[in-house]
Amino acid sequence: MLNNVENLIEICKKYRNIYIYGAGRNAVHLYYFLLKNNIEVKGFIVTNKSDNPNELYHLPVLTINEFTCEDDYIIILSVIRSSSFYNEIFDA
């Protein structure tokens, strides 16, 4: 687990293909944070499509089943640990 923002930025700079897990408010905040730090996001990943858009900021929103692993990728979780979605995501 990351302890601070600087660690997140350092880690992201090591990868070419960065995805955000989630498409809600926390994902939007994370997306803008990464953009502000010159880190390009390739898309968003969700557990299922219900209540999620097909695109977010002109980037694809994929289900975990639609996502295909690419070389040199990282998925950043935008869900907080106390969220009811946290366990659902790790069970997927």
Side-chain angles (χ1 to χ4, degrees), residues 4 14 19-20 47 59 63-64 71:
N4 60 45
K14 295 177 183 179
Y19 292 87
I20 295 174
T47 303
L59 297 172
T63 65
I64 191 67
D71 289 338

Side-chain angles (χ1 to χ4, degrees), residues 52-67:
N52 286 306
N54 290 325
E55 282 188 351
L56 192 57
Y57 304 106
H58 304 288
L59 297 172
V61 176
L62 307 167
T63 65
I64 191 67
N65 294 330
E66 295 171 324
F67 177 72

Side-chain angles (χ1 to χ4, degrees), residues 1-21 26-41 74-79:
M1 184 182 309
L2 298 174
N3 294 324
N4 60 45
V5 175
E6 291 82 19
N7 284 351
L8 175 61
I9 294 168
E10 289 297 316
I11 290 169
C12 287
K13 288 182 178 180
K14 295 177 183 179
Y15 294 90
R16 289 184 317 219
N17 300 300
I18 298 170
Y19 292 87
I20 295 174
Y21 203 111
N26 290 342
V28 168
H29 291 303
L30 179 56
Y31 173 74
Y32 280 114
F33 169 79
L34 294 173
L35 279 184
K36 181 180 175 188
N37 286 281
N38 299 316
I39 296 170
E40 180 184 349
V41 174
I74 186 172
I75 301 171
I76 304 170
L77 185 65
S78 68
V79 177

